[in-house]
Amino acid sequence: MSRRFSHVRLVTFDLFDTLYTPAEPVSRTYARPLWQHGYKVSEETMGRAFAQAYKEIHTKYPNYGYGTRLTSRQWWELVIDKAWGHALGTREPSLSSPTLVSARNVLVDGFGTSRGYRMYDDVPRVLGYLRRKGMKLGVVSNMDENADGVLRGLGIIHHFDFVLKSVAVGVEKPDPRIFDMALGAVNVQAYDALHVGDSEKNDYIPAVNAGMLALLVNRDPRAAAAALVAKYPEKYVSSLESLLQLI
């Protein structure tokens, strides 16, 4: 056990790219319905189109449309439609054809359940270890209402004392208030808490600003990422299994 983490009583986790990741590249999943309907678009183009669409919709309707008349499902439908439009460089009426609308529904449904994701192999072991150590565990994630269902489908929701979804509490990371909510949920002081995520902007910096300890998991297998982990071991880990030695 590291002395730095010896007093930790609460560990919170981000979800996406921390506990699980898409079952396949998002660019492929989004492009497949277009391929099936005869449209020619590369995965690379689709990846850029999705990133652009997500940014545009999130800028216009932050936090999955929280505080607007949009449901989170309608929010994702807007992202998909815009991503397809960007990828094809068109606003053709055929993008609203019944078959593509059906395909869009399948896409939204898929990412709304555990079918759309692959859990990292280290997750069950680490969560079980922390539970046996008597730790409080929680989720702090910029996520819609489907987070609980995904965690349940992956078979790990029972490990968590709470799941804080941004769309439910009306606050998105990097706003440090969502970390204050996490501390209050189990009545733990910030200096007794650790947050683990993958984003410096959304996880590391706001958690530290809230007074918590923080770690970034960098699962990138390339040498540059390994060098980063080796150079800054107080900030980065290469897998959640590092927590078995730290706590």
PDB file of all heavy atoms in Angstrom, residues 149-176:
ATOM      1  N   GLY A 149     -28.268   0.959 -16.465  1.00  0.00           N
ATOM      2  CA  GLY A 149     -28.557  -0.241 -17.235  1.00  0.00           C
ATOM      3  C   GLY A 149     -27.304  -0.865 -17.824  1.00  0.00           C
ATOM      4  O   GLY A 149     -27.175  -2.095 -17.866  1.00  0.00           O
ATOM      5  N   VAL A 150     -26.383  -0.031 -18.286  1.00  0.00           N
ATOM      6  CA  VAL A 150     -25.121  -0.548 -18.829  1.00  0.00           C
ATOM      7  C   VAL A 150     -24.332  -1.254 -17.733  1.00  0.00           C
ATOM      8  O   VAL A 150     -23.841  -2.375 -17.912  1.00  0.00           O
ATOM      9  CB  VAL A 150     -24.291   0.587 -19.455  1.00  0.00           C
ATOM     10  CG1 VAL A 150     -22.899   0.077 -19.847  1.00  0.00           C
ATOM     11  CG2 VAL A 150     -25.003   1.163 -20.679  1.00  0.00           C
ATOM     12  N   LEU A 151     -24.214  -0.616 -16.570  1.00  0.00           N
ATOM     13  CA  LEU A 151     -23.476  -1.219 -15.456  1.00  0.00           C
ATOM     14  C   LEU A 151     -24.142  -2.512 -14.990  1.00  0.00           C
ATOM     15  O   LEU A 151     -23.472  -3.492 -14.646  1.00  0.00           O
ATOM     16  CB  LEU A 151     -23.377  -0.232 -14.297  1.00  0.00           C
ATOM     17  CG  LEU A 151     -22.499   0.998 -14.553  1.00  0.00           C
ATOM     18  CD1 LEU A 151     -22.672   2.013 -13.436  1.00  0.00           C
ATOM     19  CD2 LEU A 151     -21.032   0.602 -14.683  1.00  0.00           C
ATOM     20  N   ARG A 152     -25.466  -2.515 -14.996  1.00  0.00           N
ATOM     21  CA  ARG A 152     -26.189  -3.725 -14.602  1.00  0.00           C
ATOM     22  C   ARG A 152     -25.938  -4.841 -15.613  1.00  0.00           C
ATOM     23  O   ARG A 152     -25.700  -6.001 -15.237  1.00  0.00           O
ATOM     24  CB  ARG A 152     -27.685  -3.418 -14.484  1.00  0.00           C
ATOM     25  CG  ARG A 152     -28.514  -4.539 -13.884  1.00  0.00           C
ATOM     26  CD  ARG A 152     -29.960  -4.098 -13.656  1.00  0.00           C
ATOM     27  NE  ARG A 152     -30.029  -3.015 -12.664  1.00  0.00           N
ATOM     28  CZ  ARG A 152     -30.318  -1.758 -12.934  1.00  0.00           C
ATOM     29  NH1 ARG A 152     -30.591  -1.386 -14.191  1.00  0.00           N
ATOM     30  NH2 ARG A 152     -30.356  -0.840 -11.994  1.00  0.00           N
ATOM     31  N   GLY A 153     -25.992  -4.505 -16.879  1.00  0.00           N
ATOM     32  CA  GLY A 153     -25.754  -5.501 -17.916  1.00  0.00           C
ATOM     33  C   GLY A 153     -24.347  -6.057 -17.889  1.00  0.00           C
ATOM     34  O   GLY A 153     -24.124  -7.224 -18.236  1.00  0.00           O
ATOM     35  N   LEU A 154     -23.390  -5.231 -17.483  1.00  0.00           N
ATOM     36  CA  LEU A 154     -21.997  -5.683 -17.374  1.00  0.00           C
ATOM     37  C   LEU A 154     -21.749  -6.469 -16.088  1.00  0.00           C
ATOM     38  O   LEU A 154     -20.676  -7.030 -15.893  1.00  0.00           O
ATOM     39  CB  LEU A 154     -21.058  -4.479 -17.438  1.00  0.00           C
ATOM     40  CG  LEU A 154     -21.010  -3.730 -18.768  1.00  0.00           C
ATOM     41  CD1 LEU A 154     -20.168  -2.465 -18.641  1.00  0.00           C
ATOM     42  CD2 LEU A 154     -20.454  -4.616 -19.885  1.00  0.00           C
ATOM     43  N   GLY A 155     -22.741  -6.475 -15.195  1.00  0.00           N
ATOM     44  CA  GLY A 155     -22.640  -7.255 -13.971  1.00  0.00           C
ATOM     45  C   GLY A 155     -21.813  -6.632 -12.869  1.00  0.00           C
ATOM     46  O   GLY A 155     -21.310  -7.340 -11.992  1.00  0.00           O
ATOM     47  N   ILE A 156     -21.707  -5.291 -12.854  1.00  0.00           N
ATOM     48  CA  ILE A 156     -20.860  -4.653 -11.840  1.00  0.00           C
ATOM     49  C   ILE A 156     -21.584  -3.577 -11.035  1.00  0.00           C
ATOM     50  O   ILE A 156     -20.983  -2.972 -10.147  1.00  0.00           O
ATOM     51  CB  ILE A 156     -19.586  -4.045 -12.467  1.00  0.00           C
ATOM     52  CG1 ILE A 156     -19.941  -3.034 -13.568  1.00  0.00           C
ATOM     53  CG2 ILE A 156     -18.675  -5.144 -13.003  1.00  0.00           C
ATOM     54  CD1 ILE A 156     -18.718  -2.292 -14.128  1.00  0.00           C
ATOM     55  N   ILE A 157     -22.854  -3.340 -11.294  1.00  0.00           N
ATOM     56  CA  ILE A 157     -23.521  -2.233 -10.606  1.00  0.00           C
ATOM     57  C   ILE A 157     -23.591  -2.460  -9.095  1.00  0.00           C
ATOM     58  O   ILE A 157     -23.617  -1.497  -8.310  1.00  0.00           O
ATOM     59  CB  ILE A 157     -24.930  -1.981 -11.185  1.00  0.00           C
ATOM     60  CG1 ILE A 157     -25.445  -0.602 -10.735  1.00  0.00           C
ATOM     61  CG2 ILE A 157     -25.886  -3.107 -10.817  1.00  0.00           C
ATOM     62  CD1 ILE A 157     -26.689  -0.131 -11.436  1.00  0.00           C
ATOM     63  N   HIS A 158     -23.596  -3.716  -8.664  1.00  0.00           N
ATOM     64  CA  HIS A 158     -23.719  -4.003  -7.235  1.00  0.00           C
ATOM     65  C   HIS A 158     -22.511  -3.536  -6.429  1.00  0.00           C
ATOM     66  O   HIS A 158     -22.585  -3.439  -5.209  1.00  0.00           O
ATOM     67  CB  HIS A 158     -23.920  -5.508  -7.016  1.00  0.00           C
ATOM     68  CG  HIS A 158     -22.758  -6.343  -7.474  1.00  0.00           C
ATOM     69  ND1 HIS A 158     -22.544  -6.631  -8.812  1.00  0.00           N
ATOM     70  CD2 HIS A 158     -21.753  -6.950  -6.783  1.00  0.00           C
ATOM     71  CE1 HIS A 158     -21.463  -7.385  -8.921  1.00  0.00           C
ATOM     72  NE2 HIS A 158     -20.966  -7.590  -7.710  1.00  0.00           N
ATOM     73  N   HIS A 159     -21.413  -3.246  -7.107  1.00  0.00           N
ATOM     74  CA  HIS A 159     -20.221  -2.781  -6.403  1.00  0.00           C
ATOM     75  C   HIS A 159     -20.349  -1.325  -5.935  1.00  0.00           C
ATOM     76  O   HIS A 159     -19.614  -0.901  -5.040  1.00  0.00           O
ATOM     77  CB  HIS A 159     -18.987  -2.885  -7.308  1.00  0.00           C
ATOM     78  CG  HIS A 159     -18.526  -4.283  -7.567  1.00  0.00           C
ATOM     79  ND1 HIS A 159     -18.063  -5.118  -6.575  1.00  0.00           N
ATOM     80  CD2 HIS A 159     -18.463  -5.002  -8.724  1.00  0.00           C
ATOM     81  CE1 HIS A 159     -17.716  -6.280  -7.092  1.00  0.00           C
ATOM     82  NE2 HIS A 159     -17.959  -6.242  -8.393  1.00  0.00           N
ATOM     83  N   PHE A 160     -21.261  -0.564  -6.534  1.00  0.00           N
ATOM     84  CA  PHE A 160     -21.267   0.880  -6.326  1.00  0.00           C
ATOM     85  C   PHE A 160     -22.315   1.329  -5.310  1.00  0.00           C
ATOM     86  O   PHE A 160     -23.452   0.877  -5.319  1.00  0.00           O
ATOM     87  CB  PHE A 160     -21.497   1.594  -7.660  1.00  0.00           C
ATOM     88  CG  PHE A 160     -20.399   1.354  -8.650  1.00  0.00           C
ATOM     89  CD1 PHE A 160     -20.583   0.504  -9.723  1.00  0.00           C
ATOM     90  CD2 PHE A 160     -19.164   1.968  -8.485  1.00  0.00           C
ATOM     91  CE1 PHE A 160     -19.567   0.267 -10.628  1.00  0.00           C
ATOM     92  CE2 PHE A 160     -18.142   1.746  -9.389  1.00  0.00           C
ATOM     93  CZ  PHE A 160     -18.335   0.889 -10.458  1.00  0.00           C
ATOM     94  N   ASP A 161     -21.892   2.258  -4.443  1.00  0.00           N
ATOM     95  CA  ASP A 161     -22.800   2.870  -3.480  1.00  0.00           C
ATOM     96  C   ASP A 161     -23.677   3.921  -4.150  1.00  0.00           C
ATOM     97  O   ASP A 161     -24.777   4.203  -3.672  1.00  0.00           O
ATOM     98  CB  ASP A 161     -22.005   3.515  -2.347  1.00  0.00           C
ATOM     99  CG  ASP A 161     -21.256   2.480  -1.520  1.00  0.00           C
ATOM    100  OD1 ASP A 161     -21.894   1.808  -0.708  1.00  0.00           O
ATOM    101  OD2 ASP A 161     -20.034   2.341  -1.717  1.00  0.00           O
ATOM    102  N   PHE A 162     -23.200   4.515  -5.219  1.00  0.00           N
ATOM    103  CA  PHE A 162     -23.981   5.507  -5.948  1.00  0.00           C
ATOM    104  C   PHE A 162     -23.456   5.625  -7.372  1.00  0.00           C
ATOM    105  O   PHE A 162     -22.300   5.295  -7.647  1.00  0.00           O
ATOM    106  CB  PHE A 162     -23.933   6.881  -5.250  1.00  0.00           C
ATOM    107  CG  PHE A 162     -22.547   7.464  -5.152  1.00  0.00           C
ATOM    108  CD1 PHE A 162     -22.005   8.234  -6.181  1.00  0.00           C
ATOM    109  CD2 PHE A 162     -21.766   7.245  -4.014  1.00  0.00           C
ATOM    110  CE1 PHE A 162     -20.732   8.767  -6.090  1.00  0.00           C
ATOM    111  CE2 PHE A 162     -20.493   7.784  -3.917  1.00  0.00           C
ATOM    112  CZ  PHE A 162     -19.966   8.547  -4.953  1.00  0.00           C
ATOM    113  N   VAL A 163     -24.338   6.082  -8.256  1.00  0.00           N
ATOM    114  CA  VAL A 163     -23.977   6.357  -9.652  1.00  0.00           C
ATOM    115  C   VAL A 163     -24.452   7.762  -9.968  1.00  0.00           C
ATOM    116  O   VAL A 163     -25.658   8.001 -10.105  1.00  0.00           O
ATOM    117  CB  VAL A 163     -24.614   5.335 -10.623  1.00  0.00           C
ATOM    118  CG1 VAL A 163     -24.265   5.689 -12.069  1.00  0.00           C
ATOM    119  CG2 VAL A 163     -24.167   3.910 -10.296  1.00  0.00           C
ATOM    120  N   LEU A 164     -23.515   8.700 -10.047  1.00  0.00           N
ATOM    121  CA  LEU A 164     -23.856  10.090 -10.353  1.00  0.00           C
ATOM    122  C   LEU A 164     -23.746  10.318 -11.851  1.00  0.00           C
ATOM    123  O   LEU A 164     -22.654  10.332 -12.416  1.00  0.00           O
ATOM    124  CB  LEU A 164     -22.906  11.048  -9.622  1.00  0.00           C
ATOM    125  CG  LEU A 164     -23.251  11.442  -8.188  1.00  0.00           C
ATOM    126  CD1 LEU A 164     -22.249  12.482  -7.695  1.00  0.00           C
ATOM    127  CD2 LEU A 164     -24.658  11.989  -8.084  1.00  0.00           C
ATOM    128  N   LYS A 165     -24.901  10.489 -12.483  1.00  0.00           N
ATOM    129  CA  LYS A 165     -24.957  10.761 -13.916  1.00  0.00           C
ATOM    130  C   LYS A 165     -25.198  12.254 -14.115  1.00  0.00           C
ATOM    131  O   LYS A 165     -26.103  12.827 -13.508  1.00  0.00           O
ATOM    132  CB  LYS A 165     -26.086   9.955 -14.553  1.00  0.00           C
ATOM    133  CG  LYS A 165     -26.018   8.473 -14.267  1.00  0.00           C
ATOM    134  CD  LYS A 165     -27.247   7.743 -14.772  1.00  0.00           C
ATOM    135  CE  LYS A 165     -28.492   8.065 -13.974  1.00  0.00           C
ATOM    136  NZ  LYS A 165     -28.475   7.477 -12.616  1.00  0.00           N
ATOM    137  N   SER A 166     -24.430  12.866 -14.982  1.00  0.00           N
ATOM    138  CA  SER A 166     -24.539  14.314 -15.169  1.00  0.00           C
ATOM    139  C   SER A 166     -25.947  14.737 -15.541  1.00  0.00           C
ATOM    140  O   SER A 166     -26.449  15.760 -15.083  1.00  0.00           O
ATOM    141  CB  SER A 166     -23.537  14.790 -16.234  1.00  0.00           C
ATOM    142  OG  SER A 166     -23.819  14.183 -17.494  1.00  0.00           O
ATOM    143  N   VAL A 167     -26.617  13.944 -16.375  1.00  0.00           N
ATOM    144  CA  VAL A 167     -27.952  14.333 -16.827  1.00  0.00           C
ATOM    145  C   VAL A 167     -28.966  14.281 -15.690  1.00  0.00           C
ATOM    146  O   VAL A 167     -29.990  14.982 -15.729  1.00  0.00           O
ATOM    147  CB  VAL A 167     -28.409  13.433 -18.001  1.00  0.00           C
ATOM    148  CG1 VAL A 167     -28.807  12.047 -17.519  1.00  0.00           C
ATOM    149  CG2 VAL A 167     -29.540  14.081 -18.784  1.00  0.00           C
ATOM    150  N   ALA A 168     -28.694  13.481 -14.664  1.00  0.00           N
ATOM    151  CA  ALA A 168     -29.623  13.369 -13.544  1.00  0.00           C
ATOM    152  C   ALA A 168     -29.419  14.474 -12.520  1.00  0.00           C
ATOM    153  O   ALA A 168     -30.377  14.921 -11.886  1.00  0.00           O
ATOM    154  CB  ALA A 168     -29.474  12.003 -12.864  1.00  0.00           C
ATOM    155  N   VAL A 169     -28.167  14.926 -12.354  1.00  0.00           N
ATOM    156  CA  VAL A 169     -27.884  15.937 -11.323  1.00  0.00           C
ATOM    157  C   VAL A 169     -27.777  17.339 -11.904  1.00  0.00           C
ATOM    158  O   VAL A 169     -27.676  18.318 -11.168  1.00  0.00           O
ATOM    159  CB  VAL A 169     -26.600  15.584 -10.537  1.00  0.00           C
ATOM    160  CG1 VAL A 169     -26.762  14.248  -9.851  1.00  0.00           C
ATOM    161  CG2 VAL A 169     -25.366  15.586 -11.434  1.00  0.00           C
ATOM    162  N   GLY A 170     -27.776  17.445 -13.245  1.00  0.00           N
ATOM    163  CA  GLY A 170     -27.761  18.763 -13.880  1.00  0.00           C
ATOM    164  C   GLY A 170     -26.417  19.447 -13.900  1.00  0.00           C
ATOM    165  O   GLY A 170     -26.329  20.643 -14.181  1.00  0.00           O
ATOM    166  N   VAL A 171     -25.342  18.704 -13.639  1.00  0.00           N
ATOM    167  CA  VAL A 171     -23.987  19.260 -13.618  1.00  0.00           C
ATOM    168  C   VAL A 171     -23.057  18.313 -14.360  1.00  0.00           C
ATOM    169  O   VAL A 171     -23.068  17.111 -14.111  1.00  0.00           O
ATOM    170  CB  VAL A 171     -23.474  19.457 -12.176  1.00  0.00           C
ATOM    171  CG1 VAL A 171     -22.052  20.000 -12.181  1.00  0.00           C
ATOM    172  CG2 VAL A 171     -24.383  20.406 -11.401  1.00  0.00           C
ATOM    173  N   GLU A 172     -22.271  18.848 -15.257  1.00  0.00           N
ATOM    174  CA  GLU A 172     -21.314  18.049 -16.013  1.00  0.00           C
ATOM    175  C   GLU A 172     -19.897  18.315 -15.531  1.00  0.00           C
ATOM    176  O   GLU A 172     -19.547  19.442 -15.174  1.00  0.00           O
ATOM    177  CB  GLU A 172     -21.364  18.423 -17.505  1.00  0.00           C
ATOM    178  CG  GLU A 172     -22.416  17.737 -18.322  1.00  0.00           C
ATOM    179  CD  GLU A 172     -22.237  18.019 -19.798  1.00  0.00           C
ATOM    180  OE1 GLU A 172     -22.157  19.196 -20.192  1.00  0.00           O
ATOM    181  OE2 GLU A 172     -22.179  17.051 -20.574  1.00  0.00           O
ATOM    182  N   LYS A 173     -19.068  17.266 -15.540  1.00  0.00           N
ATOM    183  CA  LYS A 173     -17.643  17.499 -15.412  1.00  0.00           C
ATOM    184  C   LYS A 173     -17.210  18.358 -16.603  1.00  0.00           C
ATOM    185  O   LYS A 173     -17.741  18.171 -17.694  1.00  0.00           O
ATOM    186  CB  LYS A 173     -16.869  16.174 -15.422  1.00  0.00           C
ATOM    187  CG  LYS A 173     -17.196  15.239 -14.269  1.00  0.00           C
ATOM    188  CD  LYS A 173     -16.385  13.951 -14.315  1.00  0.00           C
ATOM    189  CE  LYS A 173     -16.654  13.112 -15.529  1.00  0.00           C
ATOM    190  NZ  LYS A 173     -15.938  11.814 -15.517  1.00  0.00           N
ATOM    191  N   PRO A 174     -16.292  19.295 -16.412  1.00  0.00           N
ATOM    192  CA  PRO A 174     -15.352  19.474 -15.301  1.00  0.00           C
ATOM    193  C   PRO A 174     -15.847  20.349 -14.149  1.00  0.00           C
ATOM    194  O   PRO A 174     -15.030  20.770 -13.329  1.00  0.00           O
ATOM    195  CB  PRO A 174     -14.157  20.132 -15.982  1.00  0.00           C
ATOM    196  CG  PRO A 174     -14.763  20.969 -17.062  1.00  0.00           C
ATOM    197  CD  PRO A 174     -15.936  20.153 -17.567  1.00  0.00           C
ATOM    198  N   ASP A 175     -17.129  20.629 -14.054  1.00  0.00           N
ATOM    199  CA  ASP A 175     -17.634  21.399 -12.920  1.00  0.00           C
ATOM    200  C   ASP A 175     -17.359  20.616 -11.634  1.00  0.00           C
ATOM    201  O   ASP A 175     -17.862  19.498 -11.462  1.00  0.00           O
ATOM    202  CB  ASP A 175     -19.142  21.617 -13.085  1.00  0.00           C
ATOM    203  CG  ASP A 175     -19.713  22.623 -12.095  1.00  0.00           C
ATOM    204  OD1 ASP A 175     -19.250  22.644 -10.935  1.00  0.00           O
ATOM    205  OD2 ASP A 175     -20.627  23.373 -12.481  1.00  0.00           O
ATOM    206  N   PRO A 176     -16.564  21.173 -10.712  1.00  0.00           N
ATOM    207  CA  PRO A 176     -16.202  20.422  -9.501  1.00  0.00           C
ATOM    208  C   PRO A 176     -17.388  20.138  -8.587  1.00  0.00           C
ATOM    209  O   PRO A 176     -17.286  19.303  -7.683  1.00  0.00           O
ATOM    210  CB  PRO A 176     -15.164  21.318  -8.813  1.00  0.00           C
ATOM    211  CG  PRO A 176     -15.426  22.690  -9.343  1.00  0.00           C
ATOM    212  CD  PRO A 176     -15.904  22.499 -10.750  1.00  0.00           C
TER     213      PRO A 176
END
